[in-house]
Amino acid sequence: MVYRKTDRVAARLADTRRGILDAARELVSTGGFAAVQMTEVAKKAGVATGTLYRYFSSKEALCRQVFREVSAREMGMLAEIAAGDEAASERLVKVLRTFAGRAVRGRRLSYALLAEPLDVNLAEERSFFRRTHAEIFAGILEDGIDSGELPKIDVRIAAACIAGAIPTALIGPLAPESHELDNNPDRVVEEIVKFCLAGVGVPLAASTLKNRERRKTA
């Protein structure tokens, strides 16, 4: 009986913590990290403000966990694509389109993750997020060079350039006051893809043609 009670208590605590994080993420998705006020999170999660502080010592700690969870989910998705069996150029296109495409579809949350002014702790999380992103690109580029599909380049520098270029290119379009994505968000995504591919010596048209030919002969 003691163990069953302990399990129930642990499950309840986990559910409460999950509810708090979900509530905070929803606030970030609509108003950025600036919208995460502890009283608002508590209200949205259905708990007392005092209860909130039992799980997270401060707003900064809560925001940091939200940042980590959302970033880990996105990076996991990109890493899975990067580890696929397709040719390097095809995986590169998929990762670029997935990252940029999900960013424009989840515009407000993406702006918070990529561009919103943050405190030191969250800025550290953003830097880690970008380094992880660069590592994913580096792995794809190394595969492409090893197979002879891509020209020889400095993989680390090229990957860092791509990882920095995408958020920089998205800052303007994702900004809350911008209307650039209202009519044709796909154009922004394709321009980012085209630029990044050209930067590593793979024009988008050539990559697209190669992938079509591969599918025909498969």
Side-chain angles (χ1 to χ4, degrees):
M1 293 295 293
V2 173
Y3 288 113
R4 290 181 181 177
K5 183 177 180 180
T6 301
D7 289 344
R8 287 198 298 270
V9 171
R12 179 171 55 79
L13 293 174
D15 287 345
T16 301
R17 186 176 188 275
R18 182 72 267 153
I20 291 169
L21 286 167
D22 289 345
R25 188 186 66 246
E26 287 181 25
L27 288 170
V28 175
S29 296
T30 56
F33 286 101
V36 181
Q37 303 300 321
M38 296 300 261
T39 53
E40 288 301 312
V41 175
K43 180 179 178 180
K44 198 171 188 62
V47 299
T49 304
T51 300
L52 202 63
Y53 284 99
R54 296 176 190 171
Y55 293 86
F56 298 96
S57 60
S58 63
K59 170 188 171 179
E60 290 72 24
L62 175 57
C63 287
R64 190 162 190 164
Q65 186 58 33
V66 171
F67 198 109
R68 284 177 177 173
E69 287 194 359
V70 176
S71 299
R73 182 190 65 200
E74 297 299 317
M75 287 298 98
M77 190 176 303
L78 300 183
E80 184 176 353
I81 296 171
D85 296 329
E86 299 93 343
S89 61
E90 189 169 347
R91 282 181 280 145
L92 183 58
V93 171
K94 283 185 178 181
V95 170
L96 289 168
R97 283 200 178 121
T98 298
F99 182 26
R102 286 180 62 81
V104 300
R105 290 193 297 272
R107 177 174 172 175
R108 192 62 187 85
L109 178 59
S110 298
Y111 182 80
L113 293 173
L114 298 175
E116 182 181 338
L118 303 174
D119 64 23
V120 174
N121 289 330
L122 285 181
E124 289 176 358
E125 295 295 332
R126 180 179 284 165
S127 295
F128 176 77
F129 171 74
R130 194 162 295 182
R131 288 195 300 272
T132 303
H133 194 196
E135 289 171 4
I136 291 173
F137 282 118
I140 299 174
L141 296 178
E142 287 172 352
D143 289 347
I145 293 171
D146 290 343
S147 67
E149 184 184 356
L150 300 179
K152 290 184 178 181
I153 54 176
D154 188 312
V155 167
R156 295 297 164 185
I157 291 178
C161 287
I162 294 173
I166 298 174
T168 301
L170 287 170
I171 288 175
L174 292 177
E177 67 276 9
S178 173
H179 297 287
E180 189 171 347
L181 297 175
D182 292 351
N183 297 321
N184 190 9
D186 291 341
R187 183 193 65 80
V188 174
V189 174
E190 290 308 309
E191 286 298 322
I192 288 172
V193 173
K194 182 164 56 176
F195 174 84
C196 292
L197 289 179
V200 297
V202 184
L204 177 60
S207 176
T208 302
L209 178 60
K210 185 181 295 184
N211 293 335
R212 286 176 180 171
E213 291 174 348
R214 185 180 296 110
R215 285 193 289 270
K216 287 179 181 179
T217 59

